[in-house]
Amino acid sequence: MPSSSGSSHAEHRESATQRQGYGDYGGNPLAHVNTGESARLPAFGGAFQPGLYRPPKSRIANPAPLGLAGFALTTFLLSLINLGTRGLSSPSIVIGPAFAYGGLIQLLAGMWDIAVGNVFGGCALSSYGGFWIGLAIILTPGGFRVESTYMNSTSINDFYLAFSFYLYAWMIFTFIIWLCTLKSTVAFSSVLFTVWITFLLLATSYYVAPTQGGEPNVPLTRAGGAFGIVASFIAWWNMLAGIADPSNSLFLVPVFHFPWSDKGREQRREKAEKRPATNGDQV
């Protein structure tokens, strides 16, 4: 009959193997949740968590990938229009996804994120859901008469100016929440950084419209579209990181922790601890 100590050693080796495979948190940290009371998981864009956090106790699944998916797809579509892809210039095709996917679905994902205790994710995802719904209302032709009201009472230049204020406000919001990701991961922080640049470029494009013959500045609009494309793909990257784990994927998506983040400092400490032992073995 095998001894209990032998069984314990085998379990320890198995646990060590698992930690070695996933201990670098290159992918989804929820794939190997430590359920201890003192457990802390590192910052992770796939869960929209910018810092150390406890494993969620709620029965609600991680809603962040859903919110990221809605944001990424809607941003991708609008950015293609802003780039003037194949000569397209009307954003009408974005209205539906902006209401339903980037808007409602992302808003719900943010509410669910609050339910699992993620204040940052709830604030960010719900806010951007509101952004897309608001943008859809502005762009809806005839229904809400936002643009036509400006054109009937003043001129299209006033609409462009007011629209630039709307985008500048979201640029400020994005910058504020981006500051909270500077101790997280490169993948996570890059999403909000590129979104911030996108808002800045597009807002400025509309702001200077009155001095551009009543048209948004084309180079700025194209640049905003390019940054929007980058932002959408980085958002999809974080989405994949949030849903990929050893049960459904052949690989885990790297998220690249900043050197000054909690996980980055932990990795440096581990390397420093291993270095003397390695030198001793060589002697």
Side-chain angles (χ1 to χ4, degrees):
M1 178 177 179
S3 64
S4 60
S5 61
S7 175
S8 176
H9 287 311
E11 292 175 356
H12 178 74
R13 285 195 300 271
E14 181 180 356
S15 176
T17 302
Q18 292 176 348
R19 287 197 301 271
Q20 184 177 4
Y22 306 114
D24 60 352
Y25 298 97
N28 186 350
L30 298 180
H32 53 287
V33 167
N34 180 353
T35 56
E37 286 298 320
S38 62
R40 289 291 189 277
L41 299 178
F44 182 47
F48 239 66
Q49 292 279 6
L52 293 175
Y53 66 104
R54 289 183 182 276
K57 296 181 180 180
S58 172
R59 294 184 179 181
I60 299 176
N62 176 21
L66 176 61
L68 286 163
F71 180 86
L73 186 142
T74 316
T75 301
F76 179 76
L77 286 177
L78 182 58
S79 296
L80 287 177
I81 303 299
N82 287 331
L83 277 173
T85 307
R86 299 296 297 271
L88 290 177
S89 59
S90 173
S92 298
I93 192 63
V94 183
I95 295 174
F99 269 124
Y101 198 33
L104 177 61
I105 294 300
Q106 190 174 186
L107 175 64
L108 291 175
M111 293 294 102
W112 288 323
D113 231 2
I114 291 176
V116 300
N118 183 3
V119 176
F120 178 90
C123 177
L125 293 175
S126 296
S127 295
Y128 285 123
F131 161 77
W132 283 114
I133 293 174
L135 184 64
I137 290 174
I138 294 172
L139 296 179
T140 299
F144 295 93
R145 303 182 60 82
V146 176
E147 182 176 350
S148 61
T149 299
Y150 278 96
M151 294 182 65
N152 293 336
S153 60
T154 53
S155 69
I156 189 63
N157 286 336
D158 287 344
F159 168 74
Y160 287 150
L161 191 61
F163 189 58
S164 74
F165 294 161
Y166 180 74
L167 296 178
Y168 275 131
W170 283 102
M171 180 202 73
I172 295 170
F173 170 79
T174 302
F175 179 77
I176 292 171
I177 62 172
W178 171 68
L179 293 176
C180 295
T181 67
L182 295 180
K183 293 179 64 178
S184 60
T185 68
V186 175
F188 189 5
S189 186
S190 296
V191 175
L192 294 174
F193 178 76
T194 50
V195 171
W196 172 54
I197 296 297
T198 301
F199 277 130
L200 173 63
L201 292 169
L202 294 178
T204 306
S205 170
Y206 283 95
Y207 183 79
V208 301
T211 65
Q212 302 284 318
E215 293 293 335
N217 183 276
V218 174
L220 287 175
T221 302
R222 297 290 185 264
F227 271 93
I229 292 291
V230 174
S232 63
F233 275 100
I234 299 176
W236 271 321
W237 181 276
N238 282 274
M239 177 205 72
L240 178 59
I243 61 178
D245 61 40
S247 70
N248 60 27
S249 177
L250 296 176
F251 59 91
L252 296 180
V253 179
V255 293
F256 310 109
H257 289 268
F258 284 121
W260 55 84
S261 68
D262 294 296
K263 186 59 186 177
R265 292 197 300 269
E266 178 185 333
Q267 291 172 337
R268 289 202 304 274
R269 285 196 301 269
E270 291 176 353
K271 289 181 180 179
E273 291 172 357
K274 291 179 180 179
R275 194 172 297 117
T278 303
N279 293 337
D281 291 341
Q282 292 177 349
V283 174

